[in-house]
Amino acid sequence: MSLNNTRIASIRTHVLSAPLSKPFLWSFNRADKREGCIVEITDESGATGWGECFGPAKLNAAVIEAFTPHLIGKDGFAIDAIWQHLYNQFLDQGQKGLVITALSGIDIALWDLKGRRLNEPVHRLLGGPIRSEVKAYATGTYRLDEGNPLEYVIREVKGYVDEGFHAVKIKIGFDVSSDLELIRAVRSAVGPDIELMIDANHGYDALEAIRLGQAIADLDIRWFEEPVTPDNLGAYEEVRRGQPIPVAGGECDFTRWGFREILQRRAIDIIQPDTAAAGGISECKKIADMAASFGVRYLPHVWGTGIGLAAALQLIAVLPDTPPSYNPKAPILEFDRSEHPFRQAVLETPIEHGGGVVAVPSAPGLGIEINRNALDQFRIS
Ligand code: CA
């Protein structure tokens, strides 16, 4: 017998914002606040599911407002049917970008709702778990307005190592010469046993990226993330051919159709769809299965609140080992350590690491409970 009252009764967005104590920079931007668009869907039973959209919060909320007439009264358990309906309704102007980030938040909230109604964690509904915990790497080392990065970045990276992280990703993409100096200094400060990744946030063109990658071929860098802009796959292919470090990217790419081209052209060695941007849990599972068929690794991009983090963990629990082997290389989790006033505050129980390892939440749905006081505290609309 199927459950009653699964139809969608209401959708609400919570646009949150908080100033940073210290603004920080990456290759093309300076942030003085963190924002988030949290999605709350309630069904006719009164049960609630939570999701998050990556990207500009007010714009995501506006797209969700446009989605709402298409959602009220629909069966909330029919997640794929809802996904396809919204995608088809908006695809003429919405194959990429904000329509898909907003759709991602809806999809995540519906999975959370379904899991709560069925009293099962999402990863069990997706056919898992394949794993119940995951190694995490620390993301940080953004530039500050003041100080010498050769000092404060190294201090920050050493702090992550002291906390137990086995892998750290550092920000580059400012200037090839000073970036090279920083990467060499970090490698020599942490020694050979810590995994290092570099992320240019598409701050280079192909020539700069190739020059940098060739110059640090001997530093055992695990991947070179977003060397060039996501709208130029030809440049990705050039970088992949022209330097020896594996190329990662995909946080600004969307849906199975977007990743189909990346995979067919073998433009990227490690794809990094963001669960809260590329189409949600449903779509990212499809992308992951497609990546496995191409023998390409999949490591989710994560940069939001604990809700997006929980969604990524539910997906990671079912990502296939690539390749399958006796000692498979399990996916690792991006664990953003940069300042975020409500990343953990929106959760009743924060998702923390222990010695650089994070457990997949095993409670129903995404496995988290939302702190409504925090929503009230940080809500701007
Ligand atoms: Ca990145």
Side-chain angles (χ1 to χ4, degrees), residues 8-95:
I8 295 172
S10 71
I11 294 150
R12 183 178 179 193
T13 53
H14 304 264
V15 174
L16 311 183
S17 181
L20 297 172
S21 65
K22 275 188 194 166
F24 60 74
L25 299 91
W26 58 96
S27 68
F28 65 93
N29 201 6
R30 176 180 182 276
D32 58 9
K33 62 178 188 290
R34 297 287 291 241
E35 285 192 335
C37 176
I38 308 303
V39 184
E40 176 183 7
I41 299 182
T42 303
D43 72 9
E44 289 180 349
S45 78
T48 293
W50 296 90
E52 176 175 2
C53 315
F54 183 47
K58 285 181 184 167
L59 295 173
N60 274 311
V63 176
I64 287 173
E65 196 179 337
F67 286 168
T68 299
H70 296 271
L71 289 165
I72 300 297
K74 290 273 169 58
D75 179 4
F77 267 41
I79 302 176
D80 244 13
I82 287 171
W83 198 102
Q84 289 173 41
H85 176 73
L86 288 174
Y87 182 78
N88 291 333
Q89 283 295 312
F90 290 85
L91 84 82
D92 285 10
Q93 292 79 32
Q95 295 160 43

Coordinates of all heavy atoms in Angstrom, one line a residue, residues 8-95:
I8 N 2.5 17.8 -2.9 CA 3.2 19.0 -2.4 C 2.2 20.0 -2.0 O 1.3 20.4 -2.8 CB 4.1 19.5 -3.5 CG1 5.3 18.5 -3.8 CG2 4.7 20.9 -3.1 CD1 6.2 18.9 -4.9
A9 N 2.3 20.5 -0.8 CA 1.3 21.5 -0.3 C 1.9 22.9 -0.3 O 1.2 23.9 -0.6 CB 0.9 21.2 1.2
S10 N 3.2 23.1 0.0 CA 3.8 24.4 -0.1 C 5.3 24.4 -0.3 O 5.9 23.4 0.0 CB 3.5 25.2 1.3 OG 4.2 24.6 2.3
I11 N 5.8 25.5 -0.8 CA 7.2 25.7 -1.1 C 7.6 27.0 -0.5 O 6.9 28.0 -0.8 CB 7.5 25.6 -2.6 CG1 7.2 24.2 -3.1 CG2 9.0 25.9 -2.8 CD1 6.8 24.2 -4.5
R12 N 8.7 27.0 0.3 CA 9.2 28.3 0.8 C 10.7 28.4 0.6 O 11.4 27.4 0.7 CB 8.8 28.3 2.3 CG 9.2 29.6 3.0 CD 8.8 29.7 4.5 NE 9.2 30.9 5.0 CZ 9.3 31.2 6.3 NH1 8.9 30.3 7.2 NH2 9.7 32.4 6.8
T13 N 11.1 29.6 0.3 CA 12.6 29.8 0.2 C 13.0 30.7 1.4 O 12.3 31.6 1.8 CB 13.1 30.4 -1.1 OG1 12.3 31.6 -1.3 CG2 12.9 29.5 -2.3
H14 N 14.2 30.4 1.9 CA 14.8 31.2 3.0 C 16.1 31.8 2.4 O 17.0 31.0 2.1 CB 15.1 30.4 4.2 CG 13.9 29.6 4.8 ND1 13.1 30.1 5.8 CD2 13.4 28.5 4.4 CE1 12.2 29.3 6.1 NE2 12.3 28.3 5.2
V15 N 16.1 33.1 2.1 CA 17.3 33.7 1.6 C 18.1 34.2 2.8 O 17.6 35.1 3.5 CB 17.0 34.9 0.6 CG1 18.3 35.6 0.2 CG2 16.3 34.3 -0.6
L16 N 19.3 33.6 3.0 CA 20.1 33.9 4.1 C 21.4 34.7 3.7 O 21.9 34.5 2.6 CB 20.6 32.6 4.9 CG 19.5 31.6 5.2 CD1 20.1 30.4 5.9 CD2 18.3 32.2 5.9
S17 N 21.9 35.6 4.6 CA 23.1 36.3 4.3 C 23.7 36.7 5.6 O 23.1 36.9 6.6 CB 22.7 37.6 3.5 OG 23.9 38.3 3.2
A18 N 25.1 36.7 5.6 CA 25.8 37.1 6.8 C 27.1 37.8 6.4 O 27.8 37.2 5.5 CB 26.0 36.0 7.7
P19 N 27.5 38.9 7.0 CA 28.8 39.5 6.6 C 30.0 38.6 7.2 O 29.8 37.9 8.2 CB 28.8 40.8 7.4 CG 27.8 40.6 8.5 CD 26.8 39.6 8.0
L20 N 31.1 38.7 6.5 CA 32.3 38.0 6.9 C 33.2 38.9 7.8 O 33.2 40.1 7.6 CB 33.2 37.6 5.7 CG 32.5 36.6 4.7 CD1 33.4 36.5 3.5 CD2 32.3 35.3 5.4
S21 N 33.8 38.3 8.8 CA 34.6 39.2 9.7 C 35.9 39.6 8.9 O 36.3 40.8 9.1 CB 35.1 38.4 10.9 OG 35.9 37.3 10.6
K22 N 36.4 38.8 8.0 CA 37.5 39.2 7.1 C 37.1 38.9 5.7 O 37.0 37.7 5.3 CB 38.7 38.4 7.5 CG 39.6 38.9 8.6 CD 40.9 38.2 8.6 CE 41.6 38.4 9.9 NZ 42.7 37.5 10.2
P23 N 36.8 39.9 4.9 CA 36.6 39.6 3.4 C 37.7 38.8 2.8 O 38.9 38.9 3.3 CB 36.5 41.0 2.8 CG 36.2 41.9 3.9 CD 36.8 41.3 5.1
F24 N 37.4 37.9 1.9 CA 38.4 37.1 1.2 C 38.2 37.1 -0.3 O 37.2 37.4 -0.8 CB 38.5 35.7 1.8 CG 37.3 34.9 1.7 CD1 36.9 34.3 0.5 CD2 36.6 34.6 2.9 CE1 35.8 33.5 0.5 CE2 35.4 33.7 2.8 CZ 35.1 33.2 1.6
L25 N 39.3 36.8 -1.0 CA 39.4 36.9 -2.5 C 39.7 35.6 -3.1 O 40.5 34.8 -2.5 CB 40.4 37.9 -2.9 CG 40.3 39.3 -2.5 CD1 41.1 39.6 -1.2 CD2 40.9 40.2 -3.6
W26 N 39.2 35.3 -4.3 CA 39.7 34.3 -5.2 C 40.0 35.0 -6.5 O 39.9 36.2 -6.6 CB 38.8 33.1 -5.2 CG 37.4 33.3 -5.7 CD1 36.9 33.1 -6.9 CD2 36.3 33.7 -4.8 NE1 35.5 33.4 -6.9 CE2 35.1 33.7 -5.7 CE3 36.2 34.0 -3.5 CZ2 33.9 34.0 -5.2 CZ3 34.9 34.3 -3.0 CH2 33.8 34.3 -3.8
S27 N 40.3 34.2 -7.5 CA 40.9 34.8 -8.7 C 40.2 36.0 -9.3 O 40.8 36.9 -9.8 CB 41.1 33.7 -9.8 OG 39.8 33.3 -10.3
F28 N 38.9 36.0 -9.2 CA 38.1 37.1 -9.9 C 37.2 37.8 -9.0 O 36.4 38.6 -9.5 CB 37.4 36.5 -11.1 CG 36.3 35.5 -10.8 CD1 35.0 35.9 -10.7 CD2 36.6 34.2 -10.6 CE1 34.0 35.1 -10.3 CE2 35.6 33.3 -10.3 CZ 34.3 33.7 -10.1
N29 N 37.2 37.5 -7.7 CA 36.1 38.0 -6.9 C 36.6 38.3 -5.5 O 37.5 37.6 -5.0 CB 34.9 37.1 -6.9 CG 33.6 37.8 -6.5 OD1 33.6 39.0 -6.3 ND2 32.6 37.0 -6.3
R30 N 35.9 39.2 -4.8 CA 36.2 39.5 -3.4 C 34.9 39.4 -2.7 O 33.9 40.0 -3.0 CB 36.8 40.9 -3.2 CG 37.0 41.3 -1.8 CD 37.6 42.7 -1.8 NE 37.9 43.2 -0.4 CZ 37.0 43.7 0.4 NH1 35.8 43.9 0.0 NH2 37.4 44.1 1.6
A31 N 34.8 38.5 -1.7 CA 33.5 38.3 -0.9 C 33.6 39.0 0.4 O 34.6 38.8 1.1 CB 33.3 36.8 -0.7
D32 N 32.5 39.7 0.7 CA 32.5 40.3 2.1 C 31.3 39.7 2.8 O 30.9 40.2 3.9 CB 32.4 41.8 2.0 CG 31.3 42.4 1.2 OD1 30.4 41.6 0.8 OD2 31.3 43.6 1.0
K33 N 30.6 38.8 2.2 CA 29.4 38.1 2.9 C 29.3 36.7 2.3 O 29.8 36.4 1.2 CB 28.2 38.9 2.7 CG 27.7 39.0 1.3 CD 26.4 39.8 1.3 CE 25.7 39.8 -0.1 NZ 26.3 40.7 -1.1
R34 N 28.5 35.8 3.1 CA 28.1 34.5 2.5 C 26.6 34.6 2.4 O 25.9 35.1 3.3 CB 28.6 33.4 3.4 CG 30.1 33.2 3.6 CD 30.8 32.7 2.4 NE 30.5 31.3 2.1 CZ 31.4 30.3 2.0 NH1 32.7 30.6 2.3 NH2 31.1 29.1 1.7
E35 N 26.1 34.0 1.4 CA 24.7 33.9 1.1 C 24.2 32.5 0.9 O 25.0 31.6 0.6 CB 24.3 34.6 -0.2 CG 24.4 36.1 -0.2 CD 23.8 36.7 -1.5 OE1 23.8 36.0 -2.5 OE2 23.3 37.8 -1.4
G36 N 22.9 32.2 1.1 CA 22.4 30.9 0.8 C 20.9 31.0 0.5 O 20.2 31.8 1.1
C37 N 20.5 30.1 -0.4 CA 19.0 30.0 -0.7 C 18.6 28.6 -0.2 O 19.0 27.6 -0.8 CB 18.7 30.2 -2.1 SG 16.9 29.9 -2.5
I38 N 17.9 28.5 0.9 CA 17.4 27.3 1.5 C 16.0 27.0 1.0 O 15.2 28.0 1.1 CB 17.5 27.3 3.0 CG1 18.9 27.8 3.5 CG2 17.1 26.0 3.6 CD1 20.1 26.9 3.0
V39 N 15.7 25.8 0.6 CA 14.4 25.5 0.1 C 13.7 24.6 1.1 O 14.2 23.6 1.6 CB 14.5 24.7 -1.2 CG1 13.1 24.5 -1.8 CG2 15.3 25.5 -2.2
E40 N 12.4 24.9 1.4 CA 11.6 24.1 2.3 C 10.3 23.7 1.6 O 9.6 24.5 1.2 CB 11.3 25.0 3.6 CG 10.4 24.3 4.6 CD 10.0 25.2 5.7 OE1 10.3 26.4 5.7 OE2 9.3 24.7 6.7
I41 N 10.1 22.4 1.5 CA 8.9 21.8 0.8 C 8.1 21.0 1.8 O 8.7 20.2 2.5 CB 9.3 21.0 -0.4 CG1 10.1 21.8 -1.5 CG2 8.0 20.4 -1.0 CD1 10.4 21.0 -2.7
T42 N 6.8 21.3 1.9 CA 6.0 20.6 2.8 C 4.9 19.9 2.0 O 4.4 20.4 1.0 CB 5.3 21.6 3.8 OG1 6.3 22.3 4.5 CG2 4.4 20.9 4.8
D43 N 4.6 18.6 2.4 CA 3.6 17.9 1.7 C 2.3 17.9 2.5 O 2.2 18.5 3.6 CB 4.1 16.5 1.3 CG 4.2 15.5 2.5 OD1 3.7 15.9 3.6 OD2 4.7 14.4 2.3
E44 N 1.3 17.2 1.9 CA -0.1 17.3 2.6 C -0.1 16.6 3.9 O -1.1 16.7 4.6 CB -1.1 16.8 1.6 CG -1.3 17.8 0.4 CD -2.4 17.3 -0.6 OE1 -2.8 16.2 -0.5 OE2 -2.7 18.2 -1.5
S45 N 0.9 15.8 4.2 CA 0.9 15.1 5.5 C 1.5 16.0 6.6 O 1.5 15.7 7.7 CB 1.8 13.8 5.4 OG 3.2 14.2 5.5
G46 N 2.1 17.2 6.1 CA 2.7 18.1 7.0 C 4.2 17.8 7.2 O 4.9 18.6 7.9
A47 N 4.7 16.8 6.5 CA 6.2 16.5 6.6 C 6.9 17.5 5.7 O 6.4 18.1 4.7 CB 6.5 15.1 6.0
T48 N 8.2 17.8 6.1 CA 9.0 18.8 5.4 C 10.3 18.3 4.9 O 10.9 17.5 5.6 CB 9.2 20.0 6.4 OG1 8.0 20.6 6.7 CG2 10.2 21.0 5.8
G49 N 10.7 18.7 3.7 CA 12.0 18.4 3.2 C 12.8 19.7 2.9 O 12.2 20.7 2.6
W50 N 14.2 19.5 3.1 CA 15.0 20.7 2.9 C 16.0 20.6 1.8 O 16.6 19.5 1.6 CB 15.8 20.9 4.2 CG 14.9 21.3 5.4 CD1 14.3 20.4 6.2 CD2 14.4 22.6 5.8 NE1 13.5 21.0 7.1 CE2 13.5 22.4 6.9 CE3 14.6 23.9 5.3 CZ2 12.9 23.4 7.5 CZ3 14.0 24.9 5.9 CH2 13.2 24.7 7.0
G51 N 16.2 21.6 1.1 CA 17.2 21.6 0.0 C 18.0 22.9 0.0 O 17.7 23.9 0.8
E52 N 19.0 23.0 -0.9 CA 19.8 24.2 -1.0 C 20.2 24.4 -2.4 O 20.4 23.5 -3.1 CB 21.1 24.1 -0.1 CG 22.0 25.3 -0.3 CD 23.2 25.3 0.7 OE1 23.3 24.3 1.4 OE2 24.0 26.2 0.6
C53 N 20.2 25.7 -2.9 CA 20.7 26.0 -4.2 C 22.0 26.7 -4.1 O 22.2 27.6 -3.3 CB 19.7 27.0 -4.9 SG 17.9 26.6 -4.7
F54 N 22.9 26.4 -5.0 CA 24.2 27.0 -5.1 C 24.1 28.3 -5.9 O 23.4 28.3 -7.0 CB 25.2 26.0 -5.7 CG 26.6 26.6 -5.8 CD1 27.2 27.2 -4.7 CD2 27.4 26.4 -6.9 CE1 28.5 27.7 -4.7 CE2 28.7 26.9 -7.0 CZ 29.3 27.5 -5.9
G55 N 24.8 29.4 -5.5 CA 24.8 30.5 -6.4 C 24.0 31.7 -5.8 O 23.5 31.6 -4.7
P56 N 23.8 32.8 -6.6 CA 23.1 34.0 -6.0 C 21.7 33.6 -5.4 O 20.8 33.2 -6.1 CB 23.0 34.9 -7.3 CG 24.0 34.4 -8.2 CD 24.2 32.9 -8.0
A57 N 21.6 34.0 -4.1 CA 20.5 33.4 -3.4 C 19.1 34.1 -3.8 O 18.1 33.3 -4.0 CB 20.7 33.7 -1.9
K58 N 19.1 35.4 -4.0 CA 17.8 36.0 -4.4 C 17.4 35.5 -5.7 O 16.2 35.4 -6.0 CB 18.0 37.5 -4.4 CG 18.0 38.1 -3.0 CD 18.2 39.6 -3.0 CE 18.3 40.2 -1.7 NZ 18.7 41.7 -1.7
L59 N 18.3 35.3 -6.7 CA 18.0 34.9 -8.0 C 17.4 33.5 -8.0 O 16.4 33.2 -8.7 CB 19.1 35.0 -9.0 CG 19.6 36.5 -9.2 CD1 20.9 36.5 -10.0 CD2 18.6 37.3 -9.9
N60 N 18.0 32.6 -7.2 CA 17.5 31.3 -7.0 C 16.1 31.3 -6.5 O 15.2 30.6 -7.0 CB 18.4 30.4 -6.1 CG 19.6 29.8 -6.9 OD1 19.4 29.2 -7.9 ND2 20.8 30.0 -6.3
A61 N 15.9 32.2 -5.5 CA 14.5 32.2 -4.9 C 13.5 32.7 -5.9 O 12.4 32.2 -6.0 CB 14.6 33.2 -3.7
A62 N 13.9 33.6 -6.8 CA 13.0 34.1 -7.9 C 12.6 33.0 -8.8 O 11.5 32.9 -9.3 CB 13.6 35.3 -8.6
V63 N 13.6 32.2 -9.2 CA 13.3 31.1 -10.1 C 12.4 30.1 -9.4 O 11.4 29.6 -10.1 CB 14.6 30.3 -10.6 CG1 14.3 29.1 -11.4 CG2 15.5 31.3 -11.3
I64 N 12.6 29.8 -8.2 CA 11.7 28.9 -7.4 C 10.3 29.4 -7.4 O 9.3 28.7 -7.5 CB 12.3 28.5 -6.1 CG1 13.5 27.6 -6.3 CG2 11.3 27.9 -5.2 CD1 14.3 27.3 -5.1
E65 N 10.2 30.7 -7.3 CA 8.8 31.3 -7.3 C 8.1 31.0 -8.6 O 6.9 30.7 -8.6 CB 8.9 32.8 -7.0 CG 7.6 33.5 -6.7 CD 7.8 35.0 -6.4 OE1 8.9 35.4 -6.1 OE2 6.8 35.7 -6.6
A66 N 8.9 31.1 -9.7 CA 8.3 30.7 -11.0 C 8.0 29.3 -11.1 O 7.1 28.9 -11.9 CB 9.3 31.2 -12.1
F67 N 8.8 28.4 -10.4 CA 8.5 27.0 -10.4 C 7.2 26.6 -9.7 O 6.6 25.6 -10.0 CB 9.6 26.2 -9.7 CG 10.9 26.0 -10.5 CD1 12.0 25.6 -9.8 CD2 11.0 26.3 -11.8 CE1 13.2 25.4 -10.5 CE2 12.2 26.2 -12.5 CZ 13.3 25.7 -11.9
T68 N 6.9 27.4 -8.7 CA 5.9 27.0 -7.7 C 4.5 26.6 -8.2 O 4.0 25.5 -7.8 CB 5.7 28.1 -6.6 OG1 7.0 28.3 -6.0 CG2 4.7 27.7 -5.5
P69 N 4.0 27.3 -9.2 CA 2.7 26.8 -9.7 C 2.8 25.5 -10.4 O 1.7 24.8 -10.5 CB 2.3 27.9 -10.8 CG 3.2 29.1 -10.5 CD 4.4 28.6 -9.8
H70 N 4.0 25.1 -10.8 CA 4.1 23.8 -11.5 C 4.3 22.7 -10.4 O 4.3 21.5 -10.8 CB 5.4 23.8 -12.4 CG 5.3 24.7 -13.5 ND1 4.8 24.4 -14.7 CD2 5.7 26.0 -13.6 CE1 4.8 25.4 -15.6 NE2 5.4 26.4 -14.9
L71 N 4.4 23.0 -9.2 CA 4.7 22.0 -8.1 C 3.6 21.8 -7.2 O 3.5 20.6 -6.7 CB 6.0 22.5 -7.3 CG 7.3 22.5 -8.1 CD1 8.3 23.3 -7.3 CD2 7.8 21.1 -8.2
I72 N 2.8 22.8 -6.9 CA 1.7 22.6 -5.9 C 0.7 21.5 -6.4 O 0.3 21.6 -7.5 CB 1.0 23.9 -5.6 CG1 2.0 25.0 -5.1 CG2 -0.2 23.7 -4.7 CD1 2.6 24.7 -3.8
G73 N 0.5 20.6 -5.5 CA -0.5 19.5 -5.9 C 0.1 18.3 -6.5 O -0.5 17.3 -6.7
K74 N 1.4 18.4 -7.0 CA 2.1 17.3 -7.6 C 2.5 16.2 -6.5 O 2.8 16.6 -5.4 CB 3.3 17.8 -8.4 CG 3.0 18.6 -9.6 CD 2.9 17.7 -10.8 CE 2.3 18.4 -12.0 NZ 3.1 19.6 -12.4
D75 N 2.6 15.0 -7.0 CA 3.0 13.9 -6.1 C 4.5 14.1 -5.8 O 5.4 14.0 -6.6 CB 2.8 12.6 -6.7 CG 3.3 11.4 -5.8 OD1 3.7 11.7 -4.7 OD2 3.2 10.3 -6.3
G76 N 4.8 14.5 -4.5 CA 6.2 14.7 -4.1 C 7.1 13.5 -4.2 O 8.4 13.7 -4.2
F77 N 6.6 12.3 -4.3 CA 7.4 11.1 -4.4 C 7.9 10.9 -5.9 O 8.8 10.2 -6.1 CB 6.6 9.9 -4.0 CG 6.8 9.5 -2.5 CD1 6.9 10.5 -1.6 CD2 7.0 8.2 -2.1 CE1 7.1 10.2 -0.2 CE2 7.2 7.9 -0.8 CZ 7.2 8.9 0.2
A78 N 7.2 11.6 -6.8 CA 7.5 11.4 -8.3 C 8.6 12.4 -8.6 O 8.5 13.3 -9.5 CB 6.3 11.6 -9.1
I79 N 9.8 12.2 -8.0 CA 10.9 13.2 -8.1 C 11.4 13.3 -9.6 O 11.5 14.4 -10.1 CB 12.0 12.9 -7.2 CG1 11.5 12.8 -5.7 CG2 13.1 14.0 -7.3 CD1 12.6 12.4 -4.7
D80 N 11.6 12.2 -10.2 CA 12.0 12.3 -11.6 C 11.0 12.9 -12.5 O 11.4 13.7 -13.5 CB 12.4 10.9 -12.2 CG 13.9 10.7 -12.5 OD1 14.7 11.5 -12.1 OD2 14.2 9.7 -13.1
A81 N 9.7 12.6 -12.3 CA 8.7 13.2 -13.1 C 8.7 14.7 -12.9 O 8.5 15.5 -13.9 CB 7.3 12.6 -12.7
I82 N 8.8 15.2 -11.7 CA 8.8 16.6 -11.4 C 10.1 17.2 -12.1 O 10.0 18.3 -12.7 CB 8.8 16.9 -9.9 CG1 7.4 16.5 -9.3 CG2 9.3 18.3 -9.5 CD1 7.4 16.5 -7.8
W83 N 11.2 16.6 -11.9 CA 12.4 17.1 -12.5 C 12.3 17.3 -14.0 O 12.5 18.4 -14.6 CB 13.6 16.2 -12.2 CG 15.0 16.8 -12.4 CD1 15.8 17.2 -11.4 CD2 15.7 17.1 -13.6 NE1 16.9 17.7 -11.9 CE2 16.9 17.7 -13.3 CE3 15.4 16.9 -15.0 CZ2 17.9 18.1 -14.2 CZ3 16.3 17.3 -15.9 CH2 17.6 17.9 -15.5
Q84 N 11.8 16.3 -14.7 CA 11.6 16.4 -16.1 C 10.6 17.4 -16.5 O 10.8 18.2 -17.5 CB 11.2 15.0 -16.7 CG 12.4 14.0 -16.6 CD 11.9 12.6 -17.0 OE1 11.1 12.5 -18.0 NE2 12.4 11.6 -16.3
H85 N 9.5 17.6 -15.8 CA 8.5 18.6 -16.1 C 9.1 20.0 -16.0 O 9.0 20.8 -16.9 CB 7.3 18.4 -15.2 CG 6.3 19.5 -15.4 ND1 5.5 19.5 -16.5 CD2 6.0 20.6 -14.7 CE1 4.7 20.6 -16.5 NE2 5.0 21.2 -15.4
L86 N 9.8 20.3 -14.9 CA 10.4 21.6 -14.7 C 11.5 21.9 -15.8 O 11.5 23.0 -16.4 CB 11.0 21.8 -13.3 CG 10.0 21.9 -12.2 CD1 10.7 21.9 -10.8 CD2 9.1 23.1 -12.3
Y87 N 12.3 20.9 -16.0 CA 13.4 21.1 -17.0 C 12.8 21.4 -18.4 O 13.2 22.3 -19.1 CB 14.3 19.8 -17.1 CG 15.4 20.0 -18.1 CD1 16.6 20.7 -17.7 CD2 15.4 19.4 -19.3 CE1 17.6 20.9 -18.6 CE2 16.4 19.6 -20.2 CZ 17.5 20.4 -19.9 OH 18.5 20.5 -20.8
N88 N 11.8 20.6 -18.8 CA 11.2 20.8 -20.1 C 10.4 22.1 -20.2 O 10.4 22.8 -21.2 CB 10.2 19.6 -20.4 CG 11.0 18.3 -20.6 OD1 12.1 18.3 -21.0 ND2 10.3 17.2 -20.3
Q89 N 9.8 22.5 -19.1 CA 9.0 23.8 -19.1 C 10.0 25.0 -19.3 O 9.6 26.0 -19.9 CB 8.3 24.0 -17.8 CG 7.0 23.1 -17.7 CD 6.0 23.5 -18.7 OE1 5.7 24.7 -18.9 NE2 5.4 22.6 -19.4
F90 N 11.2 24.9 -18.8 CA 12.1 26.1 -18.7 C 13.3 25.9 -19.6 O 14.1 26.8 -19.6 CB 12.5 26.3 -17.3 CG 11.4 26.8 -16.4 CD1 10.5 26.0 -15.8 CD2 11.2 28.2 -16.2 CE1 9.4 26.4 -15.0 CE2 10.1 28.7 -15.5 CZ 9.2 27.8 -14.8
L91 N 13.4 24.9 -20.4 CA 14.7 24.6 -21.0 C 15.0 25.6 -22.1 O 16.2 25.8 -22.5 CB 14.8 23.1 -21.5 CG 14.2 22.7 -22.9 CD1 15.1 23.0 -24.0 CD2 14.0 21.2 -22.8
D92 N 14.0 26.2 -22.7 CA 14.4 27.1 -23.8 C 15.3 28.2 -23.4 O 16.2 28.7 -24.2 CB 13.1 27.8 -24.4 CG 12.3 26.8 -25.3 OD1 12.7 25.6 -25.3 OD2 11.4 27.2 -26.0
Q93 N 15.2 28.7 -22.1 CA 16.1 29.7 -21.6 C 16.8 29.2 -20.4 O 17.5 30.0 -19.8 CB 15.3 31.0 -21.2 CG 14.7 31.8 -22.4 CD 13.4 31.1 -22.9 OE1 12.6 30.5 -22.1 NE2 13.2 31.3 -24.2
G94 N 16.7 27.9 -20.1 CA 17.3 27.5 -18.8 C 18.0 26.2 -18.8 O 18.0 25.4 -17.8
Q95 N 18.8 25.9 -19.9 CA 19.5 24.6 -19.9 C 20.7 24.6 -18.9 O 21.2 23.5 -18.6 CB 20.0 24.3 -21.3 CG 18.8 24.0 -22.2 CD 19.3 24.2 -23.7 OE1 20.3 23.7 -24.1 NE2 18.5 24.8 -24.5

